[in-house]
């Protein structure tokens, strides 16, 4: 309302103008006021709204969202670089399991270049730094050898058995797979037998099969490709099979411990687990990576190859896997290049923080 219009109104309603300006002032004050403690709605206001309900020894925060689901906060991990397994496990519900299954068909997304442009040195440094820096701490470890030790600095691999009762009782389930040629996995198999697990050993070159004791031995090897028409599906010959097909054949919805030394096939196998959702069926993974050459069916120049490796490893992180232990292996080259503090093989122990233990 313009001030000049009040002159006409005074002839008919002399008191109207006296009330208009106070009313406008009151309305302006009311609109501008905020309720104490109220938050402005942001772009994710309807989706998130966490309330901290527990701090686990300063190692991480457990929070609930508006629907009541329990989430494990990784804020501490992002700031300090590691967290305890105990602060992350045991909080998964069926909704989160459904979310994991929804990732079936996911493609590996290439990560940005480490230096903003192709650079072999930058890619190698980023990759080696990532696979040699543990991301999670476990209070109770299972390591190679005759004794159970909490320190794994000198061991080739380490498994987290926090919350487990070992050897397992009949009320517990423990399934382990080991993929290795030349019987290089005997220490792992022995430890799994000691733990009371159902042990399956896969080696296409091994002459003796099942019936030789408590270990279930198979000639089958891991493949990353879908079976061809007419291909055999049995586990007692050397026909390669995808991991999810092996698990389905053996009647396992999940495997608690997997040991895999795939002789440079690991990159395409890992990629296939990302694509078909098999990662969500694995609790812990001991994986030997071979860096002296690109690997089966991995192409590109040196910088592109390492960028692909790093991108595959990042998919493990996005699926909930955290690096528990890293051990150097033989050789001192990466893609036939000698680099300081670099080895040709590493054995990496990963733990899926989204699985119950």
């Amino acid at each position: 309302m313009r001030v000049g219009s009040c002159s006409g109104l005074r002839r008919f309603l002399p008191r109207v103008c006296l009330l208009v300006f106070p009313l406008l002032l009151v309305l302006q004050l009311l609109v501008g006021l905020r309720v104490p403690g109220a938050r402005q709605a942001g772009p994710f206001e309807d989706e998130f709204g966490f309330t901290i309900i527990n701090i686990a020894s300063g190692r991480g925060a457990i929070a609930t969202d508006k629907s009541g689901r329990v989430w494990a906060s990784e804020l501490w991990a992002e700031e300090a670089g590691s967290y305890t397994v105990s602060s992350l496990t045991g909080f998964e519900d069926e909704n989160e399991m459904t979310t994991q299954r929804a990732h079936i068909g996911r493609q590996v997304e290439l990560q940005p270049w480490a230096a903003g442009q192709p650079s072999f040195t930058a890619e190698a440094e980023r990759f080696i730094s990532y696979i040699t820096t543990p991301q999670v701490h476990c209070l109770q470890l299972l390591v190679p050898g005759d004794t159970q030790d909490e320190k794994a600095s000198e061991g080739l691999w380490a498994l987290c058995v926090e919350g487990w009762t070992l050897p397992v009782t009949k009320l517990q389930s423990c399934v382990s797979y080991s993929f290795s040629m030349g019987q290089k996995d005997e220490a792992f198999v022995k430890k799994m037998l000691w733990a009371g697990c159902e042990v399956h050993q896969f080696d296409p070159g091994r002459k003796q099969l099942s019936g030789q004791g408590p270990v279930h031995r198979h000639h089958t090897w891991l493949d990353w490709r879908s079976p061809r028409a007419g291909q055999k599906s049995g586990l007692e010959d050397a026909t390669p099979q995808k991991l999810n097909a092996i698990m389905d054949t053996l009647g396992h919805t999940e495997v608690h411990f997997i040991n895999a030394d795939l002789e440079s096939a690991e990159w395409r196998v890992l990629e296939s687990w990302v694509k078909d959702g098999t990662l969500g069926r694995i609790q812990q993974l001991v994986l030997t990576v071979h860096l002296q050459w690109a690997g089966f069916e991995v192409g590109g120049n040196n910088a592109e190859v390492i960028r692909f490796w790093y991108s595959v490893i990042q998919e493990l992180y996005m699926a909930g896997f955290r690096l528990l232990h890293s051990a150097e292996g033989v050789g001192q080259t990466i893609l036939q290049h000698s680099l300081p503090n670099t080895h040709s093989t590493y054995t990496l122990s990963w733990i899926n923080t989204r699985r119950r233990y």
Side-chain angles (χ1 to χ4, degrees), residues 220-262:
T220 304
W221 194 241
L222 273 179
D223 202 349
W224 60 92
R225 296 158 295 197
S226 299
R228 297 180 296 273
Q231 178 176 314
K232 297 180 180 180
S233 58
L235 301 182
E236 303 311 324
D237 56 41
T239 303
Q241 304 283 340
K242 297 184 71 174
L243 179 58
N244 56 5
I246 294 174
M247 294 174 64
D248 292 343
T249 300
L250 293 174
H252 298 139
T253 58
E254 67 176 349
V255 180
H256 301 91
F257 306 107
I258 290 184
N259 173 62
D261 185 349
L262 305 180

mmCIF file of all heavy atoms in Angstrom, residues 220-262:
data_model
loop_
_atom_site.group_PDB
_atom_site.id
_atom_site.type_symbol
_atom_site.label_atom_id
_atom_site.label_comp_id
_atom_site.label_asym_id
_atom_site.label_seq_id
_atom_site.Cartn_x
_atom_site.Cartn_y
_atom_site.Cartn_z
ATOM 1 N N THR A 220 38.511 -77.109 -9.104
ATOM 2 C CA THR A 220 37.963 -75.886 -9.701
ATOM 3 C C THR A 220 38.852 -74.677 -9.408
ATOM 4 O O THR A 220 39.434 -74.568 -8.334
ATOM 5 C CB THR A 220 36.557 -75.624 -9.161
ATOM 6 O OG1 THR A 220 35.746 -76.767 -9.421
ATOM 7 C CG2 THR A 220 35.928 -74.413 -9.842
ATOM 8 N N TRP A 221 38.933 -73.770 -10.368
ATOM 9 C CA TRP A 221 39.682 -72.532 -10.205
ATOM 10 C C TRP A 221 38.742 -71.356 -10.406
ATOM 11 O O TRP A 221 37.640 -71.509 -10.968
ATOM 12 C CB TRP A 221 40.839 -72.471 -11.196
ATOM 13 C CG TRP A 221 41.845 -71.402 -10.891
ATOM 14 C CD1 TRP A 221 42.182 -70.344 -11.688
ATOM 15 C CD2 TRP A 221 42.649 -71.294 -9.716
ATOM 16 N NE1 TRP A 221 43.156 -69.579 -11.079
ATOM 17 C CE2 TRP A 221 43.464 -70.135 -9.860
ATOM 18 C CE3 TRP A 221 42.771 -72.041 -8.543
ATOM 19 C CZ2 TRP A 221 44.364 -69.720 -8.891
ATOM 20 C CZ3 TRP A 221 43.667 -71.636 -7.576
ATOM 21 C CH2 TRP A 221 44.457 -70.481 -7.753
ATOM 22 N N LEU A 222 39.142 -70.186 -9.947
ATOM 23 C CA LEU A 222 38.288 -69.001 -10.046
ATOM 24 C C LEU A 222 38.323 -68.401 -11.450
ATOM 25 O O LEU A 222 39.377 -68.298 -12.076
ATOM 26 C CB LEU A 222 38.725 -67.942 -9.033
ATOM 27 C CG LEU A 222 38.138 -68.044 -7.630
ATOM 28 C CD1 LEU A 222 38.683 -66.936 -6.748
ATOM 29 C CD2 LEU A 222 36.624 -67.974 -7.678
ATOM 30 N N ASP A 223 37.163 -67.953 -11.896
ATOM 31 C CA ASP A 223 37.051 -67.256 -13.180
ATOM 32 C C ASP A 223 36.307 -65.952 -12.948
ATOM 33 O O ASP A 223 35.560 -65.802 -11.987
ATOM 34 C CB ASP A 223 36.300 -68.120 -14.194
ATOM 35 C CG ASP A 223 36.605 -67.720 -15.632
ATOM 36 O OD1 ASP A 223 37.220 -66.648 -15.836
ATOM 37 O OD2 ASP A 223 36.228 -68.470 -16.546
ATOM 38 N N TRP A 224 36.527 -64.989 -13.851
ATOM 39 C CA TRP A 224 35.824 -63.715 -13.773
ATOM 40 C C TRP A 224 34.792 -63.571 -14.886
ATOM 41 O O TRP A 224 34.074 -62.593 -14.947
ATOM 42 C CB TRP A 224 36.820 -62.551 -13.856
ATOM 43 C CG TRP A 224 37.631 -62.521 -15.129
ATOM 44 C CD1 TRP A 224 37.327 -61.856 -16.289
ATOM 45 C CD2 TRP A 224 38.865 -63.202 -15.371
ATOM 46 N NE1 TRP A 224 38.300 -62.065 -17.233
ATOM 47 C CE2 TRP A 224 39.265 -62.887 -16.690
ATOM 48 C CE3 TRP A 224 39.682 -64.033 -14.612
ATOM 49 C CZ2 TRP A 224 40.448 -63.389 -17.262
ATOM 50 C CZ3 TRP A 224 40.840 -64.520 -15.178
ATOM 51 C CH2 TRP A 224 41.218 -64.201 -16.470
ATOM 52 N N ARG A 225 34.731 -64.579 -15.748
ATOM 53 C CA ARG A 225 33.820 -64.534 -16.889
ATOM 54 C C ARG A 225 32.624 -65.435 -16.646
ATOM 55 O O ARG A 225 32.717 -66.425 -15.917
ATOM 56 C CB ARG A 225 34.555 -64.971 -18.162
ATOM 57 C CG ARG A 225 35.692 -64.046 -18.558
ATOM 58 C CD ARG A 225 36.709 -64.735 -19.441
ATOM 59 N NE ARG A 225 37.397 -65.803 -18.729
ATOM 60 C CZ ARG A 225 38.540 -66.360 -19.139
ATOM 61 N NH1 ARG A 225 39.107 -65.942 -20.263
ATOM 62 N NH2 ARG A 225 39.107 -67.334 -18.446
ATOM 63 N N SER A 226 31.522 -65.105 -17.274
ATOM 64 C CA SER A 226 30.333 -65.947 -17.179
ATOM 65 C C SER A 226 30.581 -67.256 -17.923
ATOM 66 O O SER A 226 31.337 -67.293 -18.899
ATOM 67 C CB SER A 226 29.126 -65.227 -17.786
ATOM 68 O OG SER A 226 28.861 -64.031 -17.074
ATOM 69 N N PRO A 227 29.975 -68.349 -17.473
ATOM 70 C CA PRO A 227 30.217 -69.643 -18.123
ATOM 71 C C PRO A 227 29.746 -69.648 -19.569
ATOM 72 O O PRO A 227 28.755 -69.022 -19.928
ATOM 73 C CB PRO A 227 29.427 -70.627 -17.256
ATOM 74 C CG PRO A 227 28.392 -69.793 -16.565
ATOM 75 C CD PRO A 227 29.036 -68.461 -16.350
ATOM 76 N N ARG A 228 30.498 -70.347 -20.384
ATOM 77 C CA ARG A 228 30.131 -70.484 -21.792
ATOM 78 C C ARG A 228 29.079 -71.572 -21.952
ATOM 79 O O ARG A 228 28.899 -72.425 -21.073
ATOM 80 C CB ARG A 228 31.365 -70.821 -22.623
ATOM 81 C CG ARG A 228 32.434 -69.738 -22.608
ATOM 82 C CD ARG A 228 33.622 -70.138 -23.459
ATOM 83 N NE ARG A 228 34.287 -71.321 -22.919
ATOM 84 C CZ ARG A 228 35.229 -71.279 -21.997
ATOM 85 N NH1 ARG A 228 35.606 -70.124 -21.473
ATOM 86 N NH2 ARG A 228 35.801 -72.399 -21.573
ATOM 87 N N ALA A 229 28.395 -71.544 -23.063
ATOM 88 C CA ALA A 229 27.359 -72.540 -23.334
ATOM 89 C C ALA A 229 27.972 -73.938 -23.344
ATOM 90 O O ALA A 229 28.996 -74.169 -24.001
ATOM 91 C CB ALA A 229 26.683 -72.245 -24.672
ATOM 92 N N GLY A 230 27.367 -74.851 -22.611
ATOM 93 C CA GLY A 230 27.855 -76.219 -22.559
ATOM 94 C C GLY A 230 28.989 -76.446 -21.585
ATOM 95 O O GLY A 230 29.493 -77.571 -21.465
ATOM 96 N N GLN A 231 29.420 -75.410 -20.868
ATOM 97 C CA GLN A 231 30.523 -75.564 -19.925
ATOM 98 C C GLN A 231 30.077 -76.364 -18.714
ATOM 99 O O GLN A 231 28.971 -76.205 -18.211
ATOM 100 C CB GLN A 231 31.026 -74.189 -19.479
ATOM 101 C CG GLN A 231 32.156 -74.239 -18.461
ATOM 102 C CD GLN A 231 32.685 -72.854 -18.124
ATOM 103 O OE1 GLN A 231 32.920 -72.038 -19.005
ATOM 104 N NE2 GLN A 231 32.854 -72.592 -16.841
ATOM 105 N N LYS A 232 30.951 -77.248 -18.236
ATOM 106 C CA LYS A 232 30.640 -78.062 -17.059
ATOM 107 C C LYS A 232 30.521 -77.175 -15.827
ATOM 108 O O LYS A 232 31.188 -76.159 -15.713
ATOM 109 C CB LYS A 232 31.719 -79.120 -16.853
ATOM 110 C CG LYS A 232 31.823 -80.131 -17.987
ATOM 111 C CD LYS A 232 32.922 -81.150 -17.696
ATOM 112 C CE LYS A 232 33.032 -82.167 -18.819
ATOM 113 N NZ LYS A 232 34.110 -83.168 -18.551
ATOM 114 N N SER A 233 29.691 -77.608 -14.897
ATOM 115 C CA SER A 233 29.484 -76.827 -13.676
ATOM 116 C C SER A 233 29.944 -77.548 -12.420
ATOM 117 O O SER A 233 29.751 -77.066 -11.326
ATOM 118 C CB SER A 233 27.999 -76.471 -13.521
ATOM 119 O OG SER A 233 27.208 -77.648 -13.488
ATOM 120 N N GLY A 234 30.554 -78.718 -12.566
ATOM 121 C CA GLY A 234 31.008 -79.462 -11.403
ATOM 122 C C GLY A 234 32.251 -78.848 -10.783
ATOM 123 O O GLY A 234 32.973 -78.074 -11.423
ATOM 124 N N LEU A 235 32.531 -79.214 -9.524
ATOM 125 C CA LEU A 235 33.676 -78.664 -8.810
ATOM 126 C C LEU A 235 34.858 -79.620 -8.773
ATOM 127 O O LEU A 235 35.900 -79.285 -8.217
ATOM 128 C CB LEU A 235 33.267 -78.302 -7.378
ATOM 129 C CG LEU A 235 32.140 -77.280 -7.227
ATOM 130 C CD1 LEU A 235 31.896 -76.996 -5.751
ATOM 131 C CD2 LEU A 235 32.468 -76.000 -7.967
ATOM 132 N N GLU A 236 34.717 -80.789 -9.356
ATOM 133 C CA GLU A 236 35.780 -81.778 -9.250
ATOM 134 C C GLU A 236 36.636 -81.858 -10.504
ATOM 135 O O GLU A 236 37.456 -82.756 -10.633
ATOM 136 C CB GLU A 236 35.174 -83.156 -8.937
ATOM 137 C CG GLU A 236 34.324 -83.181 -7.688
ATOM 138 C CD GLU A 236 35.004 -82.537 -6.484
ATOM 139 O OE1 GLU A 236 36.227 -82.683 -6.350
ATOM 140 O OE2 GLU A 236 34.303 -81.883 -5.697
ATOM 141 N N ASP A 237 36.477 -80.952 -11.429
ATOM 142 C CA ASP A 237 37.392 -80.873 -12.566
ATOM 143 C C ASP A 237 38.020 -79.490 -12.576
ATOM 144 O O ASP A 237 37.736 -78.646 -11.737
ATOM 145 C CB ASP A 237 36.681 -81.178 -13.898
ATOM 146 C CG ASP A 237 35.479 -80.275 -14.140
ATOM 147 O OD1 ASP A 237 35.588 -79.066 -13.848
ATOM 148 O OD2 ASP A 237 34.451 -80.767 -14.612
ATOM 149 N N ALA A 238 38.879 -79.218 -13.544
ATOM 150 C CA ALA A 238 39.632 -77.964 -13.575
ATOM 151 C C ALA A 238 38.894 -76.843 -14.291
ATOM 152 O O ALA A 238 39.498 -75.821 -14.622
ATOM 153 C CB ALA A 238 40.989 -78.207 -14.242
ATOM 154 N N THR A 239 37.606 -77.004 -14.539
ATOM 155 C CA THR A 239 36.838 -75.959 -15.207
ATOM 156 C C THR A 239 36.705 -74.740 -14.304
ATOM 157 O O THR A 239 36.234 -74.847 -13.165
ATOM 158 C CB THR A 239 35.431 -76.466 -15.572
ATOM 159 O OG1 THR A 239 35.548 -77.630 -16.384
ATOM 160 C CG2 THR A 239 34.661 -75.393 -16.320
ATOM 161 N N PRO A 240 37.117 -73.561 -14.757
ATOM 162 C CA PRO A 240 36.996 -72.354 -13.916
ATOM 163 C C PRO A 240 35.539 -72.001 -13.664
ATOM 164 O O PRO A 240 34.681 -72.170 -14.533
ATOM 165 C CB PRO A 240 37.701 -71.273 -14.751
ATOM 166 C CG PRO A 240 38.534 -72.011 -15.745
ATOM 167 C CD PRO A 240 37.789 -73.276 -16.037
ATOM 168 N N GLN A 241 35.264 -71.499 -12.465
ATOM 169 C CA GLN A 241 33.928 -71.085 -12.078
ATOM 170 C C GLN A 241 34.001 -69.735 -11.375
ATOM 171 O O GLN A 241 34.986 -69.418 -10.712
ATOM 172 C CB GLN A 241 33.301 -72.109 -11.121
ATOM 173 C CG GLN A 241 33.234 -73.520 -11.639
ATOM 174 C CD GLN A 241 32.118 -73.711 -12.646
ATOM 175 O OE1 GLN A 241 31.177 -72.916 -12.696
ATOM 176 N NE2 GLN A 241 32.206 -74.768 -13.447
ATOM 177 N N LYS A 242 32.937 -68.939 -11.522
ATOM 178 C CA LYS A 242 32.848 -67.703 -10.762
ATOM 179 C C LYS A 242 32.580 -68.040 -9.292
ATOM 180 O O LYS A 242 31.988 -69.064 -8.971
ATOM 181 C CB LYS A 242 31.748 -66.802 -11.314
ATOM 182 C CG LYS A 242 31.985 -66.342 -12.745
ATOM 183 C CD LYS A 242 30.927 -65.366 -13.216
ATOM 184 C CE LYS A 242 31.058 -64.027 -12.526
ATOM 185 N NZ LYS A 242 30.125 -63.014 -13.077
ATOM 186 N N LEU A 243 33.017 -67.156 -8.408
ATOM 187 C CA LEU A 243 32.913 -67.435 -6.977
ATOM 188 C C LEU A 243 31.464 -67.606 -6.548
ATOM 189 O O LEU A 243 31.151 -68.505 -5.744
ATOM 190 C CB LEU A 243 33.571 -66.319 -6.172
ATOM 191 C CG LEU A 243 33.526 -66.468 -4.656
ATOM 192 C CD1 LEU A 243 34.192 -67.760 -4.215
ATOM 193 C CD2 LEU A 243 34.162 -65.271 -3.963
ATOM 194 N N ASN A 244 30.569 -66.777 -7.046
ATOM 195 C CA ASN A 244 29.175 -66.912 -6.616
ATOM 196 C C ASN A 244 28.583 -68.251 -7.048
ATOM 197 O O ASN A 244 27.763 -68.834 -6.332
ATOM 198 C CB ASN A 244 28.330 -65.740 -7.117
ATOM 199 C CG ASN A 244 28.384 -65.550 -8.614
ATOM 200 O OD1 ASN A 244 28.977 -66.352 -9.338
ATOM 201 N ND2 ASN A 244 27.768 -64.490 -9.110
ATOM 202 N N ALA A 245 29.035 -68.776 -8.205
ATOM 203 C CA ALA A 245 28.559 -70.085 -8.650
ATOM 204 C C ALA A 245 29.107 -71.190 -7.751
ATOM 205 O O ALA A 245 28.397 -72.150 -7.419
ATOM 206 C CB ALA A 245 28.974 -70.327 -10.093
ATOM 207 N N ILE A 246 30.372 -71.066 -7.347
ATOM 208 C CA ILE A 246 30.957 -72.047 -6.430
ATOM 209 C C ILE A 246 30.215 -72.045 -5.105
ATOM 210 O O ILE A 246 29.874 -73.106 -4.550
ATOM 211 C CB ILE A 246 32.451 -71.742 -6.217
ATOM 212 C CG1 ILE A 246 33.234 -71.953 -7.520
ATOM 213 C CG2 ILE A 246 33.025 -72.619 -5.107
ATOM 214 C CD1 ILE A 246 34.688 -71.545 -7.428
ATOM 215 N N MET A 247 29.952 -70.863 -4.579
ATOM 216 C CA MET A 247 29.251 -70.764 -3.301
ATOM 217 C C MET A 247 27.852 -71.354 -3.397
ATOM 218 O O MET A 247 27.395 -72.065 -2.483
ATOM 219 C CB MET A 247 29.194 -69.303 -2.859
ATOM 220 C CG MET A 247 30.556 -68.706 -2.528
ATOM 221 S SD MET A 247 30.494 -66.926 -2.169
ATOM 222 C CE MET A 247 29.480 -66.930 -0.682
ATOM 223 N N ASP A 248 27.164 -71.064 -4.486
ATOM 224 C CA ASP A 248 25.814 -71.597 -4.645
ATOM 225 C C ASP A 248 25.838 -73.125 -4.757
ATOM 226 O O ASP A 248 24.968 -73.813 -4.199
ATOM 227 C CB ASP A 248 25.156 -70.990 -5.885
ATOM 228 C CG ASP A 248 24.865 -69.504 -5.727
ATOM 229 O OD1 ASP A 248 24.867 -69.021 -4.578
ATOM 230 O OD2 ASP A 248 24.655 -68.829 -6.758
ATOM 231 N N THR A 249 26.819 -73.663 -5.471
ATOM 232 C CA THR A 249 26.934 -75.114 -5.608
ATOM 233 C C THR A 249 27.168 -75.784 -4.264
ATOM 234 O O THR A 249 26.616 -76.846 -3.967
ATOM 235 C CB THR A 249 28.067 -75.474 -6.575
ATOM 236 O OG1 THR A 249 27.798 -74.912 -7.862
ATOM 237 C CG2 THR A 249 28.220 -76.981 -6.720
ATOM 238 N N LEU A 250 27.994 -75.150 -3.428
ATOM 239 C CA LEU A 250 28.312 -75.710 -2.115
ATOM 240 C C LEU A 250 27.268 -75.353 -1.058
ATOM 241 O O LEU A 250 27.358 -75.818 0.089
ATOM 242 C CB LEU A 250 29.687 -75.222 -1.658
ATOM 243 C CG LEU A 250 30.875 -75.733 -2.491
ATOM 244 C CD1 LEU A 250 32.169 -75.066 -2.044
ATOM 245 C CD2 LEU A 250 30.991 -77.251 -2.382
ATOM 246 N N GLY A 251 26.303 -74.521 -1.414
ATOM 247 C CA GLY A 251 25.234 -74.167 -0.484
ATOM 248 C C GLY A 251 25.628 -73.142 0.556
ATOM 249 O O GLY A 251 25.079 -73.141 1.664
ATOM 250 N N HIS A 252 26.575 -72.242 0.214
ATOM 251 C CA HIS A 252 27.038 -71.225 1.161
ATOM 252 C C HIS A 252 26.514 -69.845 0.753
ATOM 253 O O HIS A 252 26.808 -69.364 -0.341
ATOM 254 C CB HIS A 252 28.570 -71.191 1.200
ATOM 255 C CG HIS A 252 29.179 -72.477 1.663
ATOM 256 N ND1 HIS A 252 30.307 -73.033 1.089
ATOM 257 C CD2 HIS A 252 28.793 -73.349 2.656
ATOM 258 C CE1 HIS A 252 30.607 -74.169 1.700
ATOM 259 N NE2 HIS A 252 29.695 -74.382 2.639
ATOM 260 N N THR A 253 25.756 -69.217 1.623
ATOM 261 C CA THR A 253 25.296 -67.852 1.346
ATOM 262 C C THR A 253 26.401 -66.839 1.579
ATOM 263 O O THR A 253 26.383 -65.745 1.013
ATOM 264 C CB THR A 253 24.090 -67.503 2.221
ATOM 265 O OG1 THR A 253 24.459 -67.644 3.603
ATOM 266 C CG2 THR A 253 22.918 -68.423 1.897
ATOM 267 N N GLU A 254 27.373 -67.193 2.442
ATOM 268 C CA GLU A 254 28.513 -66.330 2.702
ATOM 269 C C GLU A 254 29.724 -67.181 3.053
ATOM 270 O O GLU A 254 29.597 -68.350 3.436
ATOM 271 C CB GLU A 254 28.226 -65.342 3.829
ATOM 272 C CG GLU A 254 28.051 -65.996 5.192
ATOM 273 C CD GLU A 254 27.874 -64.983 6.308
ATOM 274 O OE1 GLU A 254 28.087 -63.777 6.057
ATOM 275 O OE2 GLU A 254 27.527 -65.392 7.432
ATOM 276 N N VAL A 255 30.898 -66.585 2.898
ATOM 277 C CA VAL A 255 32.148 -67.238 3.303
ATOM 278 C C VAL A 255 32.822 -66.312 4.304
ATOM 279 O O VAL A 255 32.986 -65.112 4.048
ATOM 280 C CB VAL A 255 33.078 -67.494 2.106
ATOM 281 C CG1 VAL A 255 34.359 -68.171 2.567
ATOM 282 C CG2 VAL A 255 32.378 -68.351 1.057
ATOM 283 N N HIS A 256 33.233 -66.869 5.433
ATOM 284 C CA HIS A 256 33.804 -66.043 6.486
ATOM 285 C C HIS A 256 35.254 -65.661 6.201
ATOM 286 O O HIS A 256 35.654 -64.526 6.455
ATOM 287 C CB HIS A 256 33.705 -66.777 7.832
ATOM 288 C CG HIS A 256 32.299 -67.120 8.209
ATOM 289 N ND1 HIS A 256 31.709 -68.323 7.870
ATOM 290 C CD2 HIS A 256 31.348 -66.411 8.873
ATOM 291 C CE1 HIS A 256 30.463 -68.340 8.329
ATOM 292 N NE2 HIS A 256 30.215 -67.197 8.940
ATOM 293 N N PHE A 257 36.044 -66.599 5.675
ATOM 294 C CA PHE A 257 37.456 -66.326 5.418
ATOM 295 C C PHE A 257 37.838 -66.864 4.040
ATOM 296 O O PHE A 257 37.645 -68.058 3.760
ATOM 297 C CB PHE A 257 38.340 -66.980 6.483
ATOM 298 C CG PHE A 257 37.973 -66.618 7.889
ATOM 299 C CD1 PHE A 257 37.345 -67.534 8.722
ATOM 300 C CD2 PHE A 257 38.254 -65.356 8.398
ATOM 301 C CE1 PHE A 257 37.000 -67.205 10.021
ATOM 302 C CE2 PHE A 257 37.911 -65.007 9.691
ATOM 303 C CZ PHE A 257 37.279 -65.931 10.511
ATOM 304 N N ILE A 258 38.373 -65.992 3.194
ATOM 305 C CA ILE A 258 38.846 -66.407 1.877
ATOM 306 C C ILE A 258 40.315 -66.048 1.744
ATOM 307 O O ILE A 258 40.726 -64.919 2.031
ATOM 308 C CB ILE A 258 38.040 -65.732 0.747
ATOM 309 C CG1 ILE A 258 36.620 -66.298 0.692
ATOM 310 C CG2 ILE A 258 38.729 -65.936 -0.605
ATOM 311 C CD1 ILE A 258 35.793 -65.755 -0.455
ATOM 312 N N ASN A 259 41.094 -67.019 1.291
ATOM 313 C CA ASN A 259 42.491 -66.792 0.946
ATOM 314 C C ASN A 259 42.630 -66.997 -0.559
ATOM 315 O O ASN A 259 42.209 -68.036 -1.092
ATOM 316 C CB ASN A 259 43.397 -67.769 1.699
ATOM 317 C CG ASN A 259 44.841 -67.674 1.248
ATOM 318 O OD1 ASN A 259 45.480 -66.628 1.383
ATOM 319 N ND2 ASN A 259 45.364 -68.757 0.697
ATOM 320 N N ALA A 260 43.201 -66.012 -1.252
ATOM 321 C CA ALA A 260 43.277 -66.094 -2.710
ATOM 322 C C ALA A 260 44.630 -65.606 -3.210
ATOM 323 O O ALA A 260 44.980 -64.442 -3.021
ATOM 324 C CB ALA A 260 42.149 -65.278 -3.350
ATOM 325 N N ASP A 261 45.381 -66.505 -3.831
ATOM 326 C CA ASP A 261 46.601 -66.167 -4.553
ATOM 327 C C ASP A 261 46.356 -66.612 -5.988
ATOM 328 O O ASP A 261 46.562 -67.782 -6.333
ATOM 329 C CB ASP A 261 47.803 -66.889 -3.943
ATOM 330 C CG ASP A 261 49.117 -66.464 -4.586
ATOM 331 O OD1 ASP A 261 49.074 -65.784 -5.629
ATOM 332 O OD2 ASP A 261 50.185 -66.821 -4.055
ATOM 333 N N LEU A 262 45.916 -65.688 -6.821
ATOM 334 C CA LEU A 262 45.357 -66.016 -8.127
ATOM 335 C C LEU A 262 46.325 -65.829 -9.277
ATOM 336 O O LEU A 262 45.914 -65.822 -10.440
ATOM 337 C CB LEU A 262 44.085 -65.190 -8.364
ATOM 338 C CG LEU A 262 43.018 -65.320 -7.267
ATOM 339 C CD1 LEU A 262 41.808 -64.465 -7.592
ATOM 340 C CD2 LEU A 262 42.621 -66.779 -7.068
#
